[in-house]
Amino acid sequence: MNFPSVFRLSCSYILFCTQDLFVFSAAEGNLSIASSLTTTPSPSSPLTTLRPRRYNTISENSTNGSCVMYGQCAEGANGAYNCPYYGAPKALDGSGVSLFKEMCPSMINKDGSVVDLCCDTNQLKALKAGMDMVTTLLGGCPSCLRNFMTLFCEMTCSPIQSTFAYPAEFAVSDDNVTYVKALGVFLDTKYATEAYNSCKSVLNPSTNGPVMDLMCSPFGSKNCSADKWFTFLGNPTNPGTPFAVNFTLSTGGASNGSAEIFAPLTVSTTPCYKAIDEEHDACSCTDCTEACPARPPPPAEPNVCLILGVDCAWAICVFIYCGLSSLFIAYVVQKWLRQNIGSSNNSLRKDSPTRSLEDVDYIMAAGDYSKFEEAGARLDDLLQKFFYRWGFFCAKHPIIVLLGSALLLVVCCMGWMFFSVTTDPVELWSSPVSRARIEKNYFDQHFGRFYRTEQLIIRPTNTTPVSTWTGFEDSPDTITQYSAVFRKEFLEEVFRMERDIMGLLGNVSDPRAPGGYRPVSLQDVCFQALAPQNQNCTTVSVSQYFQGNESLLNEENWDDFHLQRFATYIDHIMYCTNNPTSTADADKLVGMPCLGVSGAPVFPWVVFGGFEDGKYGNASALIVTFPVNNPLNQTKTDEALAWEEAAIKYLKAYNQSNITISFMMERSIEDEINRESQADVKTVLLSYIVMFVYITVTLGQYGNWKRCLIDSKITLGLAGVLIVFASFGASVGFYSYIGLPATLIIIEVIPFLVLAVGVDNIFILVQTFQRDQQDSHESVDDQVARVVGKVGPSMLLTSLSESCCFFIGALSTMPAVKIFSLYAALAVFIDFLLQISCFVSLMTLDAKRQESSRLDFLCCVKFSKKSTDNSPDILYTFVSRVYTPFVTSKAVRVLVLLVFSGWLLASIAVINKINVGFDQKISMPEDSYVLDYMTNMEEYLSVGAPVYFVVEDGMDYSNRLQQNKLCGTAGCDQESLMAQITLASFGSNYTKIAQKGSSWLDDYIAWLRPGGSNPCCQVLKADPSQFCPSSQINREQLCEPCNATYERSRPVQGDFMKYLPFFLSDNPTVACPKGGHARYGSAVELVSHNGSQPTVGASHFATYHTVLKKSAEYTTALKEAHAIADNITAMLGVKVFPYSVFYVFYEQYLTVVLETVGNLTFSLAAIFAVTFILLGLDWYSAVVVVGTIAMIEIDLMAVMYWWNIDLNAISLVNLVMGVGISVEFCSHLVRAFAISTQGGRVGRAQDALAHMGSSVLSGITLTKFGGIIVLAFSHSQIFRIYYFRMYLSIVLIGAAHGLVFLPVLLTFIGPPVNRKRLQDQRDRLFAQSEQRNDHPRAENVLRIPSADVGAA
């Protein structure tokens, strides 16, 4: 009997390969593909069928059994047929004995002798020819291979054949020779199960999938069993089988339907986890699940913390809120009772809204001021004096100030000549020193960059299923229904479209070419799996089952009378889904190969989409992929970009009346982000225009309509806005000088930020000047200087706090956050410098224009001089007279604290639930073709990204002990690299590792292994130093086997490196499917020093992730891969790291939470330090400011949870910006409170809110609100989610805390008055009272505005 052998395999590595499905069939030296288990034999066979002969195995032969076959007596299409023979076993000749000992060691007597057998030497030669190929498949697991070989040795040569086998059918050849056409074999069920179990986990090295996908087709490894395995091995429809073998599994005596009783064949087996003898090792974990160490338990599901059925965070926060609220209410009630039942002079003095000399004496009597208070008062006095003098200089010499500032701006803005924008996602989101970035660079340098992927998802518009029939046309049982993607007209159009795409030409800039451009085709940039021998582009598409030729869809196979149809193009497709590496389908199909024109296999789970459980016939989409090389060479990158541009243009213009195409090229995302940014320019400009109009209109005073054109501040407002943008331009120019590229985030966010900060300062400066009463003897210059002295320290406080905050944020490891922080910090600081100089000069000029009654925007036109109406504006009147008394009333204050404390605790309860990640679809415009592709990708794709476990330089691969730490074949360590990847694949639902890895080391050892009639490793006879590839013509005559020595199934150390370059250059062929060029050509780095024999430097071992759709899944995959690599590193002692193309983008989500906490913490620390110093060493005020800003940030993060805003680099930038803007809402008010000397905390809070509240409300809240609303109408999802939602939240939450919560908080726990500053006030009060001849202890009260303190 002929041994079933391996299909002639030509497998090459391809980007998306995950596993393979083959059909195993018995043949003499061949393993071909069976279309199904029920293929009808051709009626045109030249053989005549006879009825099976009945015979009694026991009675007709010896009691120990006899033969039923012997020798070969007929040639069939797929091998030789055996001759029927019912006699005693016969002795082998000398060559036969040697061959038998080699092939069937388990049947040799203990003394080494060989008994008479039921096979001759020719049968053994056929058996050996088949075994050579099977050894390639099963050789990694010696136990499985031995059990498998023993089975066919027993069937072919057993001297007691007749006890378990019988000829089931005979036939007569044209030469009138009778032969066995079908054989019946009884197998013991236990034996068959043990043999199957020893092989069921073996990995097919050619496909990196279970070998049972090949040897148990069409059931596949998942549905295979011992019975199904043997059923397929003997299937009569398999064209590679010379005759059918009807295996029957039985547990006792069995009958073939007659009176004869057979004893099922049973021989001892070796489990895969045991060695067959001392010379062989047990199978490894990769090929034997039972040999694996104990699997680590899956990670426990995170416990949902509940208290009384309520989320723990909520329950704790509610408990805290109830407790604190109760204590607070009790305190309020107690204080109210004390004040209304037993009031004292002390309480009257503390609650008095004004400060009298008596109050000052009372407070000063409580103790002398401290050194800190003295230093604080002196520092504040110095700041006010400095700003007074600086303001006077700017007011007195506006031309010098303006020209000097303009000169500095021009110098800075000239840096725009070196301006560049970074749009590369890697440069934006991955730190150059991050683990993923370093590992990516290592991978790119040693193995080359990952392919550029150009992918199409194609669906038919006509979704009517297609029915096909095989067999006789009038037989309803042969009709099969397939989905609409199998419609011929649909496939033809797909084939034509692919051909058009492959013929597209792009234009790349080339000064040497005519016209400055040269054409680029796909051929110039595509991945070629078998180059240089085969330079066809690799295309991953169902069209490659037909070599891209749509005319082959018309091929059919009929009988000679055209009555019975055996196969159509659909049968060929379905055949290739099971056998993608076939060089020709079954002889009863259409006779075409399944390999594409590039020599690469096309795996069905890559080219079909929308199917379930491997039912490709139900697929609802086709997937076409063009892998394109992605070298570090910029010229080649430009060529790829040019071809991609042409492909995008073609696909956008394609008529989709019959098909629907979703597609994405490698450049698509970057292109669409750029297009989106350009498309939203109008929206952003409209937003800024709204803010500009508001600023220019609201800065003016409009008490008298006759003077509205004089009292307006349109020109001054525009100048203020220009200063804001000039500061942004200067910042960009400065960093362009030093080579720090900008990002789109900077262009979109920083103008908004600087405008928020700058406009607030403009309003405070202008409105303070408008509300100030000019002394009769005071000039405009003096008045401006005095106003600058009042508000300058406050402007310095906020601007310096924000700049320090952003400079601290530049410590972030995220490039996008780092660059934003640097640009923002400098822009804010330059804006402050320009406002305190240029704007002060411009405000002075505008005040003089207004004083001389000249028109705002036509200053040359002068009207009759009339007094300016300095009455307060409506907003100031509302805030000071209505809002301030209301919000500081007792009942409202209590309610505000209760509401805001509840808001804070509710926010704390949800901030740990914010989703971390980024949905890529959000980054695309709503009308983007990429958005459609991303949606369909999640629905149809079933292939995960490849992941490479890279072993850095440092391993001695020729050393057996080192090999054992890496390999996955027999004899390897239980915790080897391949074993750990295998273990991880068993828990794919949480490790996200989809399958066992592919190992160049294991395949090289198998490729180099000597023996067999046609070993893979051969050299030229004429020059043994030259490799003879397996594709060499006349190889048997020109070449000879490599002289490689093996010890315990491994090459000796001296031979390992000698032949490795040959392996890496050998293309896989039928004769040698393990050739390593296609799969491992770029997986092993050979390093040679000074012409010495090369050694292995870095190398990688590949596997695949499961299908990943959400950010959390990508992040989990990255974490698990890191954990596996770290374990391997600890075992090897050499660094191992995982690499997949998406790691560099998703690593940020592993650290973004810590980044957020760190950035916000350091920013708040910077604000505390600046506030502490500039408020006169007042730690109390600094704590209040920082605490309020922290509340704003916590509430903002809670809004992210409620409004579905993910935490990522973009939202982190917005959070950092939120800290800066929050300073504007808090610091001005707290400083006004701190320097106020009005009576009691309530009085000081009212004074601060009245003077600063309206400026904050008009300067930042209302200004930004109008501009933000415009962003809601943006076409960009990312603008609406990350800019509109977050900006609106920043402004509203900041305003609520700065104008509602903070004044109320200050009434309860505001910082105490500085007693040194209070003493200075007493001295001024005495001086004023003496000038008016008043008694020093007069009861009348002198009100002194807080802004006037220390101004003289």
Side-chain angles (χ1 to χ4, degrees):
M1 177 181 178
N2 295 339
F3 185 80
S5 60
V6 179
F7 165 65
R8 293 190 171 101
L9 183 64
S10 177
C11 178
S12 62
Y13 176 80
I14 188 167
L15 174 64
F16 308 101
C17 166
T18 53
Q19 57 181 353
D20 194 12
L21 296 173
F22 292 90
V23 182
F24 187 86
S25 60
E28 180 181 356
N30 297 282
L31 179 61
S32 299
I33 312 301
S35 59
S36 69
L37 294 181
T38 58
T39 302
T40 306
S42 171
S44 60
S45 172
L47 305 176
T48 303
T49 300
L50 301 179
R51 297 181 61 186
R53 174 187 175 187
R54 304 288 184 182
Y55 64 95
N56 190 313
T57 303
I58 302 299
S59 62
E60 290 186 11
N61 301 292
S62 66
T63 56
N64 294 327
S66 60
C67 303
V68 296
M69 299 181 302
Y70 188 87
Q72 298 175 336
C73 55
E75 289 293 332
N78 300 307
Y81 291 95
N82 293 333
C83 306
Y85 171 71
Y86 308 103
K90 299 179 181 181
L92 289 171
D93 58 24
S95 60
V97 170
S98 298
L99 199 55
F100 182 78
K101 287 183 177 181
E102 176 186 349
M103 301 302 300
C104 307
S106 59
M107 296 179 65
I108 302 173
N109 291 329
K110 293 182 178 180
D111 60 2
S113 61
V114 176
V115 300
D116 295 345
L117 300 168
C118 292
C119 61
D120 63 9
T121 301
N122 289 332
Q123 288 176 280
L124 287 173
K125 289 180 179 178
L127 180 64
K128 177 175 173 55
M131 282 296 181
D132 287 345
M133 300 299 289
V134 169
T135 301
T136 302
L137 278 178
L138 305 179
C141 183
S143 304
C144 165
L145 181 62
R146 176 63 61 84
N147 294 335
F148 193 85
M149 292 171 64
T150 299
L151 167 66
F152 285 93
C153 284
E154 292 283 352
M155 288 173 54
T156 305
C157 299
S158 174
I160 56 171
Q161 260 182 357
S162 60
T163 63
F164 60 83
Y166 64 94
E169 187 176 356
F170 298 94
V172 179
S173 68
D174 293 339
D175 298 334
N176 200 31
V177 176
T178 302
Y179 57 89
V180 177
K181 187 178 181 180
L183 182 70
V185 176
F186 291 97
L187 299 178
D188 181 72
T189 301
K190 180 180 178 183
Y191 160 67
T193 302
E194 290 175 350
Y196 167 74
N197 288 339
S198 69
C199 294
K200 67 180 182 181
S201 300
V202 173
L203 189 69
N204 182 350
S206 299
T207 64
N208 206 37
V211 76
M212 285 302 164
D213 283 339
L214 167 67
M215 300 181 69
C216 197
S217 180
F219 309 107
S221 59
K222 293 182 179 179
N223 300 314
C224 192
S225 63
D227 183 58
K228 292 177 180 178
W229 186 39
F230 285 101
T231 298
F232 172 74
L233 291 181
N235 194 294
T237 63
N238 192 323
T241 303
F243 55 83
V245 181
N246 302 323
F247 288 104
T248 302
L249 274 59
S250 176
T251 55
S255 171
N256 62 354
S258 62
E260 296 87 353
I261 302 299
F262 294 86
L265 174 64
T266 178
V267 293
S268 61
T269 60
T270 303
C272 62
Y273 57 87
K274 290 186 178 180
I276 55 177
D277 54 40
E278 294 181 355
E279 296 181 358
H280 294 81
D281 296 301
C283 305
S284 70
C285 175
T286 303
D287 294 316
C288 177
T289 305
E290 292 83 355
C292 295
R295 303 181 193 177
E301 291 292 330
N303 294 326
V304 179
C305 181
L306 299 175
I307 297 177
L308 300 176
V310 179
D311 178 77
C312 285
W314 276 107
I316 293 172
C317 288
V318 169
F319 175 78
I320 293 174
Y321 179 73
C322 293
L324 293 179
S325 298
S326 300
L327 292 175
F328 176 68
I329 292 173
Y331 164 76
V332 171
V333 171
Q334 179 269 339
K335 186 174 182 180
W336 181 84
L337 291 174
R338 184 166 61 88
Q339 290 179 346
N340 288 274
I341 297 175
S343 60
S344 65
N345 290 333
N346 291 353
S347 62
L348 288 174
R349 288 193 179 96
K350 291 178 182 178
D351 292 336
S352 175
T354 60
R355 183 81 65 204
S356 67
L357 291 175
E358 191 173 286
D359 298 322
V360 173
D361 289 342
Y362 171 78
I363 295 175
M364 294 304 299
D368 294 333
Y369 51 81
S370 66
K371 295 293 184 180
F372 270 99
E373 290 177 306
E374 181 180 12
R378 294 287 177 251
L379 178 60
D380 187 66
D381 186 57
L382 288 174
L383 286 174
Q384 294 192 52
K385 289 180 179 178
F386 167 78
F387 280 106
Y388 172 84
R389 291 168 182 169
W390 174 252
F392 186 81
F393 175 80
C394 294
K396 197 70 175 177
H397 308 285
I399 304 300
I400 297 176
V401 172
L402 293 175
L403 289 178
S405 300
L407 180 61
L408 291 175
L409 285 175
V410 169
V411 172
C412 288
C413 291
M414 286 179 66
W416 280 79
M417 294 186 297
F418 310 101
F419 176 73
S420 63
V421 177
T422 297
T423 56
D424 184 354
V426 175
E427 297 292 337
L428 284 175
W429 310 120
S430 179
S431 169
V433 297
S434 68
R435 174 175 178 176
R437 185 74 174 277
I438 293 172
E439 292 169 352
K440 177 187 183 301
N441 292 339
Y442 187 95
F443 186 92
D444 291 348
Q445 292 168 6
H446 291 78
F447 310 111
R449 291 198 293 183
F450 197 73
Y451 308 105
R452 301 175 69 91
T453 304
E454 333 293 353
Q455 194 166 71
L456 290 70
I457 301 174
I458 310 171
R459 292 162 293 148
T461 54
N462 181 1
T463 57
T464 305
V466 59
S467 298
T468 184
W469 58 270
T470 54
F472 293 100
E473 191 169 1
D474 58 351
S475 174
D477 296 334
T478 61
I479 297 177
T480 306
Q481 192 174 73
Y482 296 90
S483 69
V485 300
F486 291 90
R487 300 183 69 86
K488 183 182 292 186
E489 61 273 19
F490 170 71
L491 292 174
E492 287 175 339
E493 183 167 356
V494 172
F495 286 18
R496 289 193 297 270
M497 181 189 64
E498 287 180 24
R499 188 172 62 249
D500 291 344
I501 292 175
M502 296 181 71
L504 291 173
L505 294 177
N507 291 316
V508 64
S509 177
D510 187 349
R512 298 170 296 179
Y517 292 92
R518 60 180 171 86
V520 175
S521 67
L522 179 62
Q523 185 69 35
D524 297 321
V525 297
C526 69
F527 169 66
Q528 300 164 359
L530 299 182
Q533 291 85 351
N534 183 339
Q535 296 188 0
N536 287 303
C537 292
T538 298
T539 303
V540 187
S541 169
V542 71
S543 67
Q544 294 305 296
Y545 291 154
F546 301 86
Q547 294 71 55
N549 187 350
E550 69 267 23
S551 65
L552 296 180
L553 291 169
N554 298 318
E555 292 289 325
E556 294 181 346
N557 192 1
W558 294 77
D559 67 358
D560 292 343
F561 304 101
H562 211 74
L563 297 175
Q564 184 180 11
R565 183 166 67 177
F566 297 131
T568 67
Y569 69 95
I570 295 181
D571 298 290
H572 176 68
I573 292 175
M574 299 310 296
Y575 170 84
C576 290
T577 61
N578 286 329
N579 308 274
T581 60
S582 172
T583 54
D585 62 21
D587 62 351
K588 297 179 179 61
L589 295 179
V590 294
M592 288 184 293
C594 295
L595 289 175
V597 293
S598 68
V602 176
F603 299 95
W605 47 89
V606 177
V607 298
F608 290 104
F611 61 87
E612 294 181 357
D613 300 325
K615 297 177 180 178
Y616 304 114
N618 296 331
S620 54
L622 296 182
I623 300 168
V624 180
T625 307
F626 301 95
V628 170
N629 290 323
N630 191 20
L632 294 171
N633 186 308
Q634 186 59 43
T635 300
K636 286 296 182 182
T637 300
D638 291 339
E639 292 178 353
L641 290 170
W643 182 84
E644 290 168 358
E645 183 179 9
I648 292 171
K649 183 178 180 181
Y650 170 84
L651 290 169
K652 283 185 174 181
Y654 192 86
N655 181 6
Q656 299 193 28
S657 57
N658 297 320
I659 64 176
T660 301
I661 306 173
S662 303
F663 68 94
M664 187 180 78
M665 303 292 158
E666 187 76 15
R667 65 176 294 163
S668 294
I669 291 180
E670 190 170 336
D671 284 350
E672 290 299 282
I673 290 176
N674 292 337
R675 182 176 72 88
E676 181 182 47
S677 298
Q678 296 171 3
D680 278 309
V681 168
K682 294 181 181 179
T683 304
V684 175
L685 287 178
L686 180 60
S687 174
Y688 286 126
I689 289 172
V690 170
M691 290 186 283
F692 297 163
V693 171
Y694 173 82
I695 293 168
T696 55
V697 171
T698 55
L699 274 180
Q701 291 175 300
Y702 305 101
N704 186 343
W705 68 270
K706 294 181 180 180
R707 290 182 54 88
C708 63
L709 296 181
I710 298 174
D711 295 336
S712 66
K713 302 290 183 184
I714 296 175
T715 306
L716 185 62
L718 287 175
V721 171
L722 289 177
I723 285 175
V724 168
F725 280 93
S727 63
F728 169 70
S731 176
V732 174
F734 174 81
Y735 285 115
S736 297
Y737 270 128
I738 65 175
L740 184 65
T743 67
L744 292 177
I745 291 180
I746 288 171
I747 298 172
E748 293 161 352
V749 176
I750 292 184
F752 181 93
L753 170 65
V754 181
L755 194 62
V757 174
V759 169
D760 193 30
N761 288 339
I762 288 172
F763 270 85
I764 291 174
L765 193 59
V766 172
Q767 291 180 350
T768 302
F769 179 79
Q770 290 172 340
R771 296 163 190 163
D772 183 71
Q773 295 296 326
Q774 185 179 15
D775 293 339
S776 58
H777 62 279
E778 194 175 36
S779 67
V780 172
D781 296 342
D782 291 328
Q783 184 184 14
V784 168
R786 184 164 48 80
V787 169
V788 172
K790 296 175 186 178
V791 301
S794 185
M795 294 171 60
L796 176 65
L797 170 63
T798 57
S799 300
L800 190 59
S801 296
E802 291 155 359
S803 292
C804 291
C805 164
F806 291 130
F807 275 123
I808 291 294
L811 298 175
S812 171
T813 59
M814 290 186 184
V817 179
K818 181 186 185 74
I819 295 173
F820 162 80
S821 298
L822 288 173
Y823 274 79
L826 187 58
V828 169
F829 189 69
I830 293 176
D831 183 52
F832 165 72
L833 295 179
L834 293 177
Q835 286 175 338
I836 209 67
S837 56
C838 285
F839 191 78
V840 169
S841 295
L842 291 171
M843 187 177 72
T844 304
L845 294 175
D846 185 75
K848 293 178 179 179
R849 173 203 60 79
Q850 185 179 8
E851 188 178 43
S852 60
S853 297
R854 296 178 182 272
L855 290 182
D856 182 14
F857 46 85
L858 290 174
C859 57
C860 57
V861 179
K862 184 176 181 181
F863 284 77
S864 59
K865 191 170 183 180
K866 295 182 180 179
S867 61
T868 301
D869 185 4
N870 287 328
S871 60
D873 58 78
I874 297 176
L875 188 61
Y876 176 77
T877 302
F878 170 77
V879 171
S880 60
R881 298 182 182 179
V882 178
Y883 176 73
T884 298
F886 170 77
V887 81
T888 55
S889 61
K890 292 182 178 180
V892 173
R893 286 192 294 147
V894 172
L895 181 61
V896 165
L897 283 185
L898 291 176
V899 169
F900 275 80
S901 60
W903 184 2
L904 173 63
L905 289 170
S907 298
I908 293 174
V910 299
I911 57 174
N912 67 323
K913 301 175 179 63
I914 299 174
N915 184 56
V916 176
F918 182 74
D919 185 355
Q920 290 190 60
K921 294 193 292 294
I922 293 175
S923 65
M924 295 294 102
E926 291 182 323
D927 61 346
S928 172
Y929 66 92
V930 178
L931 188 61
D932 181 51
Y933 167 82
M934 290 179 172
T935 302
N936 288 317
M937 179 184 67
E938 293 183 356
E939 181 176 356
Y940 296 111
L941 261 62
S942 58
V943 179
V947 54
Y948 306 93
F949 286 89
V950 178
V951 182
E952 293 189 0
D953 191 3
M955 291 290 294
D956 182 5
Y957 291 87
S958 63
N959 184 288
R960 184 185 182 92
L961 295 178
Q962 297 290 300
Q963 293 172 9
N964 289 343
K965 295 181 179 181
L966 296 168
C967 60
T969 190
C972 301
D973 293 347
Q974 277 197 337
E975 295 185 356
S976 70
L977 180 148
M978 291 300 296
Q980 293 200 42
I981 295 175
T982 299
L983 278 176
S985 68
F986 295 151
S988 59
N989 59 324
Y990 59 89
T991 65
K992 306 303 179 184
I993 298 296
Q995 61 173 339
K996 303 174 182 179
S998 60
S999 167
W1000 67 267
L1001 181 60
D1002 293 333
D1003 283 356
Y1004 172 56
I1005 292 172
W1007 177 88
L1008 184 59
R1009 183 178 290 115
S1013 58
N1014 188 21
C1016 290
C1017 185
Q1018 298 192 34
V1019 294
L1020 294 175
K1021 293 179 180 179
D1023 184 2
S1025 65
Q1026 297 297 315
F1027 176 59
C1028 178
S1030 56
S1031 57
Q1032 175 70 48
I1033 301 175
N1034 298 325
R1035 195 183 192 212
E1036 293 181 359
Q1037 289 77 32
L1038 300 177
C1039 308
E1040 62 183 8
C1042 298
N1043 186 25
T1045 303
Y1046 265 53
E1047 294 179 358
R1048 290 182 62 85
S1049 302
R1050 302 280 181 85
V1052 296
Q1053 193 162 356
D1055 288 343
F1056 185 91
M1057 288 307 308
K1058 180 178 180 180
Y1059 298 107
L1060 181 58
F1062 295 168
F1063 166 72
L1064 297 176
S1065 63
D1066 191 22
N1067 285 332
T1069 61
V1070 173
C1072 186
K1074 282 185 176 290
H1077 180 205
R1079 176 174 286 190
Y1080 304 118
S1082 62
V1084 182
E1085 181 187 40
L1086 296 181
V1087 181
S1088 180
H1089 301 284
N1090 300 324
S1092 61
Q1093 186 181 64
T1095 58
V1096 177
S1099 70
H1100 67 64
F1101 300 78
T1103 183
Y1104 293 83
H1105 281 302
T1106 56
V1107 179
L1108 309 172
K1109 296 181 180 180
K1110 298 180 180 179
S1111 291
E1113 294 176 347
Y1114 282 100
T1115 306
T1116 299
L1118 173 58
K1119 289 170 60 178
E1120 293 295 332
H1122 278 169
I1124 296 169
D1126 291 343
N1127 287 338
I1128 297 172
T1129 298
M1131 178 269 299
L1132 283 182
V1134 175
K1135 183 180 178 181
V1136 177
F1137 66 84
Y1139 172 75
S1140 190
V1141 67
F1142 66 84
Y1143 286 178
V1144 73
F1145 303 111
Y1146 285 87
E1147 185 189 39
Q1148 60 177 303
Y1149 303 126
L1150 298 179
T1151 59
V1152 69
V1153 174
L1154 292 178
E1155 285 274 350
T1156 302
V1157 174
N1159 268 279
L1160 298 183
T1161 301
F1162 288 132
S1163 296
L1164 292 175
I1167 293 171
F1168 177 87
V1170 173
T1171 304
F1172 171 71
I1173 294 173
L1174 294 186
L1175 284 185
L1177 308 180
D1178 185 356
W1179 66 268
Y1180 206 121
S1181 297
V1183 169
V1184 171
V1185 170
V1186 170
T1188 306
I1189 295 175
M1191 287 182 63
I1192 294 174
E1193 288 295 297
I1194 292 172
D1195 292 341
L1196 179 59
M1197 286 189 282
V1199 170
M1200 291 174 59
Y1201 169 77
W1202 294 114
W1203 218 346
N1204 298 319
I1205 303 173
D1206 295 341
L1207 178 60
N1208 48 51
I1210 300 176
S1211 52
L1212 176 54
V1213 166
N1214 289 336
L1215 287 172
V1216 174
M1217 185 185 72
V1219 173
I1221 293 179
S1222 299
V1223 171
E1224 295 291 327
F1225 284 110
C1226 301
S1227 294
H1228 290 301
L1229 196 69
V1230 171
R1231 183 180 186 278
F1233 180 90
I1235 66 174
S1236 174
T1237 56
Q1238 292 296 328
R1241 287 192 173 100
V1242 174
R1244 294 166 66 200
Q1246 291 175 341
D1247 180 47
L1249 184 58
H1251 283 84
M1252 284 294 177
S1254 61
S1255 296
V1256 172
L1257 180 61
S1258 59
I1260 184 171
T1261 308
L1262 298 181
T1263 302
K1264 287 301 169 191
F1265 185 77
I1268 292 170
I1269 293 299
V1270 176
L1271 297 179
F1273 301 97
S1274 170
H1275 296 289
S1276 167
Q1277 298 182 83
I1278 201 168
F1279 262 79
R1280 294 200 304 270
I1281 294 175
Y1282 288 99
Y1283 295 146
F1284 166 70
R1285 294 183 185 179
M1286 290 201 73
Y1287 286 6
L1288 183 64
S1289 300
I1290 290 170
V1291 171
L1292 294 182
I1293 295 174
H1297 284 76
L1299 299 176
V1300 180
F1301 170 75
L1302 184 56
V1304 171
L1305 180 67
L1306 292 173
T1307 64
F1308 284 99
I1309 60 169
V1313 67
N1314 185 303
R1315 285 173 291 184
K1316 178 62 172 71
R1317 189 179 291 120
L1318 196 62
Q1319 185 184 44
D1320 293 339
Q1321 182 192 17
R1322 181 181 62 175
D1323 295 339
R1324 287 192 295 274
L1325 289 174
F1326 271 117
Q1328 292 173 4
S1329 63
E1330 289 177 356
Q1331 291 175 2
R1332 300 177 185 180
N1333 298 318
D1334 291 334
H1335 192 275
R1337 299 297 183 183
E1339 295 298 326
N1340 61 308
V1341 176
L1342 297 174
R1343 284 183 175 271
I1344 301 177
S1346 62
D1348 288 341
V1349 177

